[in-house]
Amino acid sequence: MINAVHISKHFGAVKAVDDVSLHIQKGEVICIIGPSGSGKSTLIRCLHGLETPDSGELYVNGEKVDFSKDSTRQLAHVGFVFQLFNLFPHKTVLENLTLGPIKAGGVPQAQAEETAHKLLKRVGLDDKAQSYPAQLSGGQKQRVAIARALCQSPEVILFDEPTSALDPEMIGEVLNVMKELADEGMTLAVVTHEMGFARKVASRVLFVDGGKIIEEGTPDQIFDHPQSDRLKLFLSQVIHI
Amino acid sequence: MSLEAFQRIMTSENVHFMLRSASYSVIIAICALVGGSVLGLLSASMKMSKHGVLRGIANVYVEIIRGTPMLLQIMLLFLGGPVITKSLFKFVFTPNPYVIGAVAVAINSGAYSTELFRSAIQSVDKGQWEAARTIGLNHWQTMKEIILPQAFKRILPPYINEFIVLLKDSSLLSSIGAVELLQSARVIGADNYNYLVPLLCATGMYLVMTLTISFFARKLERRLAESD
Ligand SMILES: Nc1ncnc2c1ncn2[C@@H]1O[C@H](COP(=O)(O)OP(=O)(O)O)[C@@H](O)[C@H]1O
Ligand SMILES: [Mg+2]
């Protein structure tokens, strides 16, 4: 579905992503873990062209993404959820959801709104359709952001630390929505520090350090039978559930 | 100077004349503000463009306007405009001082508001561009739907201030024969061999207009601050 081949990205002298290849297949739930500064965000952002890789190729459904041109059309059915939500503050929740389908997808307004209401119900927020983002709690904002990504009829949704900016009591509601998506068969790739979520929901866990995938495997392999010293050190430092 | 002089000079006819001229000042300022916004937005987007040529053109525009007196720009456009169209298009026109003046003030305002637009656009969080990208919007759709509405909120207070500046700048058009508020005071002054009285009246009228505008500007600013 998404195939990244030998992707590298530098920032000055820093090799944020160092020759990483990653193939996301339909129905997979991939969790990407690793220490802070290891290149997780840069990697997931490269998969949506939010960072342009210095080298390497990205294929979406076998079609090569052309970063030199406006690549948004090719990535239209790849959703993205940000750590800081990035909702549009001057638009209502409903408008946040319908803007993409109406402006970019050419969907008629009535139909876009119907879909948006359905998706808001799915994340439990249909009563907030006319609210502005500033009137929502962090957890609600992130659920709206997930609904906005779902409005793109995505084949896969990428998440960059979706719960890291949330108060602890709101993390659960967002993870629950994500778990439901996973249960329904949606393809997800999630950068996360929530080891409990990764262990329960992931079909494959990647451990990233120094811009490279150091180890990958099932949750059982990664969490209970880590091979590399770096992963063992990392796991000993994070609190796990 | 006495009250008698006021009553003698400021006949209702002359007061009407000054009020009508004041309305021309306002209209000139509005036209210049609208034209200046378009030019400023255009030159701000050129300044942020990837293309060096576009950036260069915008820079030259801004530097020329900021580096020369406004009075000179107005006179140059008034006297030079017809010469240029004649040599380029073999087309001669009699310049209307109001139109040429408003255009000149717009060109001037556009250069000064370029920086205003650019900094307001760049002050919008980068994450907004990124989110727009992930829902499939292209560059111009993002500008129009996401960035400009947010930048506009930030621009509004300084922009109302710009309107006050333009209202005052419109007095420079008296130099090319437009009878705006200041020029009307001078005409009345010449007719009555007394400049001080009509000039004081003009002072009062300018102040009423500018203070009213800044009163509403402050109110608006407070309203905008609340909705954040
Ligand atoms: N826009 C940027 N400019 C400069 N350096 C960056 C930028 N983004 C990330 N980096 C650097 O790249 C490395 C990887 O960062 P990041 O992908 O954010 O890591 P993570 O998400 O795992 O914490 C870090 O050293 C970080 O400082
Ligand atoms: Mg990160």
Side-chain angles (χ1 to χ4, degrees):
Chain A
M1 179 164 288
I2 291 191
N3 196 6
V5 185
H6 297 298
I7 295 249
S8 291
K9 177 74 184 176
H10 302 236
F11 292 108
V14 180
K15 270 192 175 174
V17 173
D18 188 5
D19 191 24
V20 168
S21 295
L22 170 60
H23 192 180
I24 303 175
Q25 269 148 353
K26 192 168 163 50
E28 271 195 300
V29 177
I30 296 180
C31 283
I32 302 170
I33 61 170
S36 137
S38 59
K40 307 179 299 295
S41 294
T42 309
L43 172 61
I44 199 113
R45 288 163 58 81
C46 280
L47 300 183
H48 210 306
L50 294 169
E51 305 287 353
T52 308
D54 302 326
S55 60
E57 281 133 37
L58 182 66
Y59 297 87
V60 175
N61 289 329
E63 195 187 340
K64 188 173 164 184
V65 174
D66 185 356
F67 289 109
S68 65
K69 285 206 221 114
D70 195 358
S71 51
T72 46
R73 189 189 53 78
Q74 285 176 295
L75 294 159
H77 295 294
V78 180
F80 200 99
V81 174
F82 298 86
Q83 181 175 355
L84 295 173
F85 331 122
N86 296 5
L87 296 177
F88 308 126
H90 60 301
K91 303 231 178 242
T92 63
V93 165
L94 191 68
E95 289 166 346
N96 265 274
L97 266 65
T98 55
L99 190 64
I102 292 173
K103 296 289 170 187
V107 177
Q109 183 172 348
Q111 191 188 329
E113 286 182 358
E114 195 189 317
T115 312
H117 280 298
K118 218 183 294 168
L119 292 169
L120 280 175
K121 275 199 198 89
R122 190 155 152 195
V123 300
L125 287 173
D126 199 29
D127 55 326
K128 301 288 184 192
Q130 299 307 327
S131 304
Y132 284 88
Q135 299 166 308
L136 306 180
S137 73
Q140 291 172 333
K141 282 182 197 167
Q142 196 60 297
R143 285 188 282 154
V144 169
I146 292 172
R148 180 175 68 181
L150 288 171
C151 278
Q152 300 301 114
S153 333
E155 297 177 39
V156 48
I157 308 180
L158 312 174
F159 293 77
D160 186 10
E161 298 202 24
T163 57
S164 296
L166 299 179
D167 291 334
E169 73 271 18
M170 293 172 184
I171 293 177
E173 64 190 68
V174 172
L175 291 181
N176 279 340
V177 169
M178 292 167 62
K179 185 169 180 311
E180 278 167 30
L181 290 177
D183 292 343
E184 289 162 22
M186 176 64 79
T187 312
L188 308 175
V190 187
V191 172
T192 187
H193 285 296
E194 296 296 327
M195 298 304 153
F197 176 81
R199 188 191 274 272
K200 263 196 294 231
V201 183
S203 52
R204 183 152 61 113
V205 179
L206 310 182
F207 171 64
V208 174
D209 198 7
K212 283 186 175 299
I213 297 176
I214 303 292
E215 214 171 314
E216 69 174 282
T218 61
D220 181 59
Q221 287 169 328
I222 294 293
F223 293 112
D224 297 327
H225 305 94
Q227 303 294 312
S228 64
D229 291 339
R230 280 206 261 181
L231 176 54
K232 284 176 193 164
L233 178 67
F234 173 74
L235 289 176
S236 72
Q237 286 166 344
V238 298
I239 316 144
H240 39 144
I241 312 147
Chain B
M1 195 182 50
S2 62
L3 194 63
E4 182 271 324
F6 262 97
Q7 282 166 342
R8 180 172 54 80
I9 297 169
M10 296 317 294
T11 60
S12 78
E13 195 184 335
N14 279 346
V15 170
H16 264 109
F17 175 47
M18 283 187 80
L19 286 175
R20 196 169 58 242
S21 306
S23 75
Y24 295 154
S25 294
V26 172
I27 292 169
I28 290 164
I30 290 173
C31 293
L33 191 76
V34 173
S37 315
V38 174
L39 283 172
L41 199 54
L42 199 67
S43 107
S45 352
M46 283 164 74
K47 266 204 160 184
M48 291 182 290
S49 151
K50 288 191 288 262
H51 303 285
V53 181
L54 292 181
R55 282 205 308 274
I57 294 172
N59 279 328
V60 168
Y61 164 55
V62 171
E63 293 310 324
I64 287 181
I65 297 300
R66 293 215 290 201
T68 57
M70 191 170 180
L71 188 54
L72 173 69
Q73 294 158 16
I74 292 169
M75 288 170 30
L76 214 51
L77 196 67
F78 187 65
L79 301 171
V83 178
I84 291 169
T85 58
K86 187 184 169 193
S87 55
L88 284 184
F89 311 113
K90 309 247 172 304
F91 168 65
V92 191
F93 71 97
T94 321
N96 176 318
Y98 298 92
V99 176
I100 295 278
V103 171
V105 180
I107 292 174
N108 183 281
S109 168
Y112 280 93
S113 52
T114 297
E115 249 347 88
L116 203 65
F117 277 114
R118 197 178 63 93
S119 62
I121 288 170
Q122 286 182 341
S123 74
V124 176
D125 177 25
K126 204 169 126 270
Q128 295 286 305
W129 283 99
E130 295 181 346
R133 182 195 157 83
T134 64
I135 62 164
L137 301 188
N138 63 32
H139 182 89
W140 290 111
Q141 287 171 329
T142 306
M143 244 335 178
K144 178 169 160 281
E145 298 289 335
I146 309 297
I147 307 300
L148 288 181
Q150 292 181 62
F152 182 71
K153 245 178 100 166
R154 267 157 250 204
I155 277 180
L156 210 51
Y159 223 66
I160 291 172
N161 198 51
E162 175 72 7
F163 183 64
I164 293 176
V165 170
L166 293 179
L167 193 59
K168 294 185 292 177
D169 284 348
S170 67
S171 66
L172 292 173
L173 302 198
S174 58
S175 64
I176 54 171
V179 186
E180 40 63 63
L181 180 52
L182 177 61
Q183 183 66 4
S184 72
R186 283 156 78 176
V187 169
I188 293 170
D191 285 349
N192 294 281
Y193 308 107
N194 182 335
Y195 282 95
L196 202 52
V197 166
L199 285 179
L200 279 174
C201 287
T203 307
M205 290 185 189
Y206 275 119
L207 279 175
V208 166
M209 293 192 287
T210 54
L211 293 180
T212 310
I213 297 166
S214 48
F215 171 76
F216 284 110
R218 268 198 304 279
K219 249 182 126 154
L220 191 68
E221 210 167 337
R222 234 169 289 142
R223 272 263 301 280
L224 288 179
E226 272 165 23
S227 73
D228 273 335

